[in-house]
């Protein structure tokens, strides 16, 4: 692992949107731990919220890791605990509930992005936005096989059907990408309520032009102005200039609006 560490500024917002009567999203902003998470619950009123809350509640107990491998191990342990808890709730109620998640882990100058479902992670680096995660969804599988085009995917009737999530099976399936952090890197973690209304180019423009707090609010206002058809959660993480030592945090925040 690199010994170069970067200070970090981060912020999060969550809103039920303009159509839904409750918010099944949850999120976590823990710069001291080096962990940021969004989760989008599914399973109907209250059940989806329970699933996403289980993920966040378990991950909030990680504490301060001793190393990057320790952070990853603690993360996977807590996520597996959440998976078991959600499965038990499902069995006790006789229904299927679950939650997507997208997480950023950062420590010792390196990062890991982990996800299950269609909550996303973007990286803005050197003025370019890249989608780090790849949706676990039926429409993504059709795209990969060349069955439908990118344009058709935008309006595909089953575009919201996901193929992986926490709690839907005994064995948790997730993907990850990892790399070296660079000064100025901006990570965007979001549930699909953002990308339903805001393009990648608009996300990139918003996060480049403002600090994480203002950018989160700007993106949320954009979603609500365009109808906010789903719950929306956005977490932004911006890496500053390099310093010696561990990951250092500058003022970060977490905000829930009309939750």
């Amino acid at each position: 692992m690199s010994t170069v560490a970067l200070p970090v500024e981060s912020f999060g917002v969550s809103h039920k949107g303009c159509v839904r009567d409750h918010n099944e999203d949850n999120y976590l902003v823990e710069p001291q731990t080096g962990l940021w998470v969004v989760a989008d619950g599914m399973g109907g009123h209250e059940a989806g919220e329970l699933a996403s809350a289980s993920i966040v509640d378990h991950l909030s107990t990680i504490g301060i890791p001793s190393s990057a491998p320790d952070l990853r191990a603690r993360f996977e342990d807590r996520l597996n605990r959440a998976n078991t808890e959600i499965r038990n709730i499902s069995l006790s109620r006789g229904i299927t509930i679950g939650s997507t998640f997208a997480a950023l882990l950062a420590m010792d100058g390196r990062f890991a992005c982990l996800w299950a479902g269609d909550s996303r992670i973007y990286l803005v680096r050197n003025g370019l936005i890249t989608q780090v995660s790849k949706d676990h969804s039926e429409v993504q599988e059709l795209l990969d096989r060349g069955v439908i085009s990118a344009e058709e995917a935008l309006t595909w009737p089953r575009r919201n059907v996901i193929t992986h999530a926490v709690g839907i099976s005994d064995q948790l399936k997730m993907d990850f990408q990892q790399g070296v952090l660079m000064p100025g890197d901006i990570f965007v973690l979001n549930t699909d309520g953002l990308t339903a209304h805001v393009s990648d180019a608009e996300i990139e423009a918003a996060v480049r032009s403002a600090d994480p707090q203002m950018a989160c609010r700007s993106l949320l206002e954009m979603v609500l102005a365009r109808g906010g058809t789903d719950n929306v959660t956005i977490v932004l993480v911006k890496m500053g200039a390099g310093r010696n030592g561990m990951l250092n945090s500058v003022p970060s925040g977490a905000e829930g609006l009309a939750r």
Side-chain angles (χ1 to χ4, degrees):
M1 300 294 289
S2 170
T3 59
V4 177
L6 302 172
V8 60
E9 184 180 6
S10 55
F11 201 80
V13 295
S14 189
H15 195 286
K16 68 183 179 65
C18 302
V19 176
R20 304 293 179 89
D21 61 3
H22 66 291
N23 193 353
E24 293 186 317
D25 288 359
N26 273 284
Y27 70 99
L28 187 65
V29 173
E30 293 283 356
Q32 294 79 16
T33 300
L35 174 63
W36 298 264
V37 181
V38 300
D40 181 355
M42 59 184 187
H45 185 62
E46 294 186 351
E49 185 176 356
L50 278 174
S52 63
S54 176
I55 292 172
V56 167
D57 289 346
H58 281 285
L59 291 177
S60 67
T61 69
I62 284 178
I64 306 301
S66 60
S67 64
D70 182 40
L71 174 58
R72 176 70 180 270
R74 294 186 189 202
F75 176 87
E76 293 188 0
D77 171 71
R78 274 29 171 222
L79 197 62
N80 277 301
R81 294 186 196 182
N83 190 70
T84 298
E85 180 175 76
I86 296 166
R87 290 289 291 157
N88 288 338
I89 294 171
S90 294
L91 292 172
S92 67
R93 297 189 177 190
I95 59 175
T96 298
I97 69 172
S99 177
T100 73
F101 84 89
L104 170 67
L105 283 61
M107 191 173 185
D108 294 342
R110 294 189 63 86
F111 72 86
C113 295
L114 305 98
W115 70 94
D118 59 359
S119 290
R120 291 181 178 178
I121 307 169
Y122 291 91
L123 171 59
V124 178
R125 174 179 285 178
N126 297 326
L128 298 174
I129 187 169
T130 303
Q131 184 178 330
V132 180
S133 60
K134 185 176 183 179
D135 294 352
H136 296 137
S137 65
E138 185 177 287
V139 72
Q140 185 63 56
E141 291 182 352
L142 294 173
L143 277 168
D144 291 344
R145 301 205 312 265
V147 175
I148 61 174
S149 67
E151 292 73 22
E152 290 173 317
L154 296 175
T155 56
W156 194 254
R158 290 170 56 85
R159 62 187 178 279
N160 294 324
V161 177
I162 60 174
T163 55
H164 296 341
V166 182
I168 63 173
S169 64
D170 292 334
Q171 186 66 37
L172 175 60
K173 296 180 180 179
M174 60 182 172
D175 278 337
F176 76 96
Q177 294 284 344
Q178 59 187 353
V180 176
L181 291 168
M182 301 293 290
D185 280 352
I186 304 172
F187 292 89
V188 183
L189 288 69
N190 64 273
T191 58
D192 62 342
L194 174 66
T195 48
H197 297 285
V198 182
S199 69
D200 291 4
E202 289 173 320
I203 294 172
E204 186 268 335
V207 303
R208 285 185 62 197
S209 61
D211 63 33
Q213 180 174 342
M214 293 303 296
C216 276
R217 290 173 171 165
S218 175
L219 288 169
L220 177 58
E221 288 172 3
M222 200 179 301
V223 170
L224 298 180
R226 295 174 182 179
T229 55
D230 199 354
N231 305 151
V232 56
T233 300
I234 310 158
V235 170
L236 299 188
V237 186
K238 183 175 183 179
M239 301 297 166
R243 293 179 184 173
N244 293 325
M246 299 293 287
L247 186 73
N248 299 290
S249 64
V250 296
S252 298
E255 182 174 283
L257 303 177
R259 298 195 59 173

